[in-house]
Amino acid sequence: VNRSCTALKFAVDGSLRLFGATSDQKVIVIKIHNASSSSLSHTREKGNDSKDIGKLNLNATLEHTLSMLPGGGSGFVPVTHLETTPDGMWLAAGRNAMGGGAVQ
């Protein structure tokens, strides 16, 4: 996606999904995969707080593109907030524009 991002949110249900709102009125859902194994994991040695992230081979897949309704009034109102339910079943997108806004 070659658009400016107006909001980002990682899923809290452990599904390794990233939700992003873009400047062209879309919300995208990206699935993150570890190409070298079936799950993302890191190693942590006792007494060492650094994660061994350098050994992960990550891939991303665009799962969905959701078109948002135009923001109310006379102009463009970008999505500024994304929230998911704890089980990952619902995504809420919010906008705010000078005293008015919407949740979709």
Side-chain angles (χ1 to χ4, degrees):
V1 177
N2 192 15
R3 299 281 183 246
S4 298
C5 180
T6 58
L8 281 175
K9 177 75 175 184
F10 277 100
V12 295
D13 66 350
S15 64
L16 299 176
R17 284 184 172 77
L18 175 64
F19 303 96
T22 63
S23 61
D24 63 349
Q25 303 281 359
K26 293 187 180 5
V27 173
I28 58 172
V29 181
I30 297 172
K31 174 71 174 174
I32 300 169
H33 308 274
N34 185 355
S36 59
S37 71
S38 61
S39 66
L40 288 178
S41 62
H42 64 272
T43 59
R44 181 177 278 200
E45 297 177 15
K46 193 171 190 172
N48 183 0
D49 288 337
S50 64
K51 296 176 183 175
D52 192 2
I53 300 297
K55 294 184 180 179
L56 294 177
N57 184 11
L58 301 178
N59 291 328
T61 305
L62 180 63
E63 281 193 330
H64 302 287
T65 301
L66 311 166
S67 295
M68 299 299 295
L69 297 172
S74 61
F76 168 76
V77 181
V79 171
T80 55
H81 296 83
L82 294 170
E83 285 296 329
T84 61
T85 56
D87 62 4
M89 295 295 294
W90 294 94
L91 172 69
R95 320 173 201 231
N96 188 17
M98 299 299 286
V103 174
Q104 297 178 320

